[in-house]
């Protein structure tokens, strides 16, 4: 998704991680994707990879993708961890669901709150609810590249194995997802629903 937004041409090669080719075994033994090898230097942390791409593929040749507002990066940082705890544990234990819902509420509040750059100091009317498309405005940023795939996985896996839907009351979250699914950069880089369901089957079967 980052490379697509940067306008870089790339080739996608599907790999069965249960039957890794030898070059991957030798490259990063014991490590799952994503990882990046550049000039002999290996990077295995997703955030470090994003940072490297942003610094290397920089303006004026490539667009800047870093968000203007730090909170755009921070607001969804715990949501996937809460989802992981939710899907691994007995559905009768509502504490994990409540913790996940709190993170969705935090994200929804942020998406519905106008950013400083949305507020016109010369306007006589207050903007009470943001109408921006994404976390940091109307353009996709690194913050979206990090959060949107996680939200998609949560949406598919939690529905399949926990009968959990993101509540309709989170209008900001649904507006955000709706705008994202309209973008080729997102919808064509997401794993298929069936792949997500298969990936979480063993997790769901081991629920305590």
């Amino acid at each position: 998704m980052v490379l697509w937004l940067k306008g870089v041409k790339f080739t996608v090669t599907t790999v069965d991680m249960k039957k890794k080719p030898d070059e991957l075994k030798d490259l990063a033994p014991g490590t799952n994707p994503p990882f990046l090898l550049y000039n002999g230097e290996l990077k295995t942390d997703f955030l470090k990879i994003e940072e490297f791409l942003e610094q290397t593929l920089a303006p004026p040749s490539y667009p800047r993708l870093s968000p203007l507002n730090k909170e755009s990066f921070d607001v969804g940082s715990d949501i996937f961890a809460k989802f992981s705890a939710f899907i691994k544990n007995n559905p009768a234990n509502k504490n994990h669901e409540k913790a996940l819902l709190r993170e969705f509420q935090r994200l929804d509040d942020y998406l519905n709150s106008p950013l400083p750059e949305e507020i016109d100091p010369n306007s006589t009317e207050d903007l009470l609810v943001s109408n921006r498309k994404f976390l940091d405005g109307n353009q996709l940023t690194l913050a979206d590249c990090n959060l949107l795939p996680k939200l998609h996985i949560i949406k598919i896996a939690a529905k399949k194995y926990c009968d959990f839907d993101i509540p309709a009351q989170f209008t900001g979250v649904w507006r955000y997802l709706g705008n994202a699914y309209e973008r080729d950069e997102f919808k064509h880089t997401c794993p298929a629903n069936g792949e997500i369901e298969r990936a979480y089957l063993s997790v769901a079967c081991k629920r305590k």
Side-chain angles (χ1 to χ4, degrees), residues 23-91:
E23 53 265 36
L24 287 187
K25 292 179 183 177
D26 297 337
L27 177 64
T31 302
N32 288 321
F35 42 78
L36 173 71
L37 181 66
Y38 183 79
N39 284 345
E41 182 179 352
L42 179 66
K43 299 181 185 297
T44 59
D45 180 83
F46 182 73
L47 293 178
K48 293 292 185 183
I49 292 173
E50 281 190 343
E51 181 182 338
F52 172 80
L53 292 174
E54 182 70 351
Q55 292 175 351
T56 306
L57 306 175
S61 299
Y62 302 95
R64 178 183 181 274
L65 295 181
S66 295
L68 293 175
N69 302 279
K70 180 179 180 297
E71 194 174 0
S72 295
F73 250 134
D74 297 341
V75 68
S77 59
D78 290 335
I79 201 165
F80 202 72
K82 296 298 188 290
F83 156 72
S84 296
F86 174 51
I87 199 169
K88 290 176 182 177
N89 284 275
N90 193 308

Side-chain angles (χ1 to χ4, degrees), residues 15-206:
V15 175
D16 184 349
M17 292 309 296
K18 294 180 179 178
K19 301 176 182 177
K20 292 182 184 179
D22 291 339
E23 53 265 36
L24 287 187
K25 292 179 183 177
D26 297 337
L27 177 64
T31 302
N32 288 321
F35 42 78
L36 173 71
L37 181 66
Y38 183 79
N39 284 345
E41 182 179 352
L42 179 66
K43 299 181 185 297
T44 59
D45 180 83
F46 182 73
L47 293 178
K48 293 292 185 183
I49 292 173
E50 281 190 343
E51 181 182 338
F52 172 80
L53 292 174
E54 182 70 351
Q55 292 175 351
T56 306
L57 306 175
S61 299
Y62 302 95
R64 178 183 181 274
L65 295 181
S66 295
L68 293 175
N69 302 279
K70 180 179 180 297
E71 194 174 0
S72 295
F73 250 134
D74 297 341
V75 68
S77 59
D78 290 335
I79 201 165
F80 202 72
K82 296 298 188 290
F83 156 72
S84 296
F86 174 51
I87 199 169
K88 290 176 182 177
N89 284 275
N90 193 308
N93 185 342
K94 295 298 183 181
N95 291 332
H96 296 291
E97 182 176 356
K98 289 177 181 177
L100 177 60
L101 287 171
R102 281 195 297 271
E103 289 304 312
F104 269 114
Q105 182 67 69
R106 180 181 171 221
L107 175 60
D108 191 68
D109 289 344
Y110 183 70
L111 288 166
N112 281 330
S113 299
L115 296 173
E117 49 270 28
E118 290 184 272
I119 299 172
D120 183 356
N122 299 317
S123 175
T124 57
E125 297 182 3
D126 292 333
L127 180 63
L128 301 179
V129 179
S130 174
N131 57 14
R132 69 186 186 275
K133 293 181 177 181
F134 305 114
L135 284 171
D136 206 59
N138 289 326
Q139 300 299 321
L140 289 163
T141 67
L142 291 178
D144 302 299
C145 293
N146 193 0
L147 182 59
L148 280 170
K150 296 175 182 177
L151 291 181
H152 180 65
I153 290 171
I154 293 171
K155 176 173 170 285
I156 301 304
K159 177 60 177 177
K160 174 70 174 179
Y161 297 113
C162 307
D163 196 27
F164 173 89
D165 288 302
I166 300 171
Q169 71 195 53
F170 295 144
T171 56
V173 175
W174 279 110
R175 183 184 74 244
Y176 179 44
L177 284 171
N179 287 321
Y181 286 126
E182 291 180 357
R183 294 289 295 262
D184 287 344
E185 301 95 329
F186 176 56
K187 66 184 180 183
H188 290 315
T189 55
C190 277
N193 293 1
E195 290 181 17
I196 295 171
E197 292 172 355
R198 286 191 293 273
Y200 278 89
L201 175 60
S202 61
V203 176
C205 289
K206 295 176 183 177

